[in-house]
Amino acid sequence: MDTPLDRLTEQFRRLPGIGIKTARKLAYYIVQQPPEQVNAFVEAIRHAKETMRFCSICCNLSAQDPCPICSDSKRDRSTICVVETPQDVMAIERSGDYHGLYHVLHGALSPLDGIGVDDLRIKELLKRLSDTEVKEIIIATDPDVEGEATALYLARLLKTAGIRVTRIARGLPMGGDIEYADEATLAGAVANRQEM
């Protein structure tokens, strides 16, 4: 039997990272809330969907175009940090240490999943480079197989343009224990060591 609760559970289950138990828990939670809270939740979803768009410059999600980062005249326009997702932009911004611009690819190369060069926002990045005075591209893709493949592809592509291409360092997180770190993380930490 397909009840309204089952249909709501199924909609929550479609969200990334939400399994059936969590989806059911969220569905039960929603139906037990006062109507004004449910309406506010629905309106917040509708408003976000209607107002959020991709920045015409960096391809990040924003309620304005160009986005606040691209519009900020105080940002360092000689550096572009290339990331996979809008969430990556938010994570780097939280660090407070990067003051350049961004470019969001909206994914990573993954031939097994059918994601190739044309599925990413690489053409938009190349167009930006022809229109600006960019001196450095920082590649900040995930340190997984797809992220590494994307980083290598971009590095080869961009080096022919005569632009400095760097990759974010990898290593141990603050507060982490060396004995619990995996081999790849330790290898990255040693390879990317800095002078003290």
Side-chain angles (χ1 to χ4, degrees):
M1 180 164 43
D2 190 27
T3 68
L5 196 58
D6 291 335
R7 287 195 296 271
L8 182 57
T9 299
E10 179 58 27
Q11 292 306 310
F12 278 120
R13 199 176 70 72
R14 290 178 180 205
L15 297 172
I18 303 291
I20 187 68
K21 285 183 178 182
T22 302
R24 193 173 295 124
K25 188 177 190 177
L26 291 169
Y28 274 100
Y29 176 81
I30 289 293
V31 298
Q32 293 176 46
Q33 295 306 300
E36 58 274 5
Q37 281 188 322
V38 174
N39 290 338
F41 181 69
V42 170
E43 182 52 34
I45 293 172
R46 182 178 293 116
H47 183 68
K49 180 62 181 164
E50 291 171 355
T51 60
M52 298 300 287
R53 61 183 69 65
F54 295 117
C55 174
S56 59
I57 298 172
C58 71
C59 305
N60 192 14
L61 273 173
S62 176
Q64 70 183 57
D65 186 24
C67 73
I69 294 173
C70 289
S71 300
D72 186 350
S73 62
K74 295 178 186 148
R75 303 293 293 212
D76 175 7
R77 300 197 172 279
S78 68
T79 307
I80 295 177
C81 181
V82 178
V83 297
E84 291 181 23
T85 68
Q87 297 93 312
D88 297 337
V89 172
M90 292 178 64
I92 294 171
E93 282 296 289
R94 279 194 305 269
S95 78
D97 287 333
Y98 177 70
H99 305 289
L101 300 175
Y102 293 93
H103 189 82
V104 182
L105 296 172
H106 292 279
L109 294 174
S110 181
L112 294 176
D113 295 322
I115 301 172
V117 172
D118 293 335
D119 299 307
L120 304 178
R121 303 286 175 97
I122 295 173
K123 288 177 192 163
E124 292 85 344
L125 175 61
L126 296 176
K127 182 182 180 318
R128 287 179 74 183
L129 298 179
S130 66
D131 296 342
T132 61
E133 296 296 320
V134 175
K135 293 181 175 66
E136 180 181 8
I137 297 288
I138 301 169
I139 300 175
T141 54
D142 290 341
D144 55 17
V145 173
E146 295 81 4
E148 289 298 319
T150 306
L152 287 171
Y153 175 81
L154 288 173
R156 287 187 196 126
L157 183 67
L158 297 171
K159 285 204 177 191
T160 61
I163 296 172
R164 180 177 182 222
V165 179
T166 58
R167 179 89 164 106
I168 59 168
R170 292 165 289 192
L172 297 171
M174 291 296 286
D177 292 327
I178 292 176
E179 67 181 293
Y180 299 117
D182 63 272
E183 293 82 10
T185 301
L186 282 173
V190 172
N192 296 300
R193 66 192 182 276
Q194 297 177 349
E195 185 118 10
M196 290 184 69

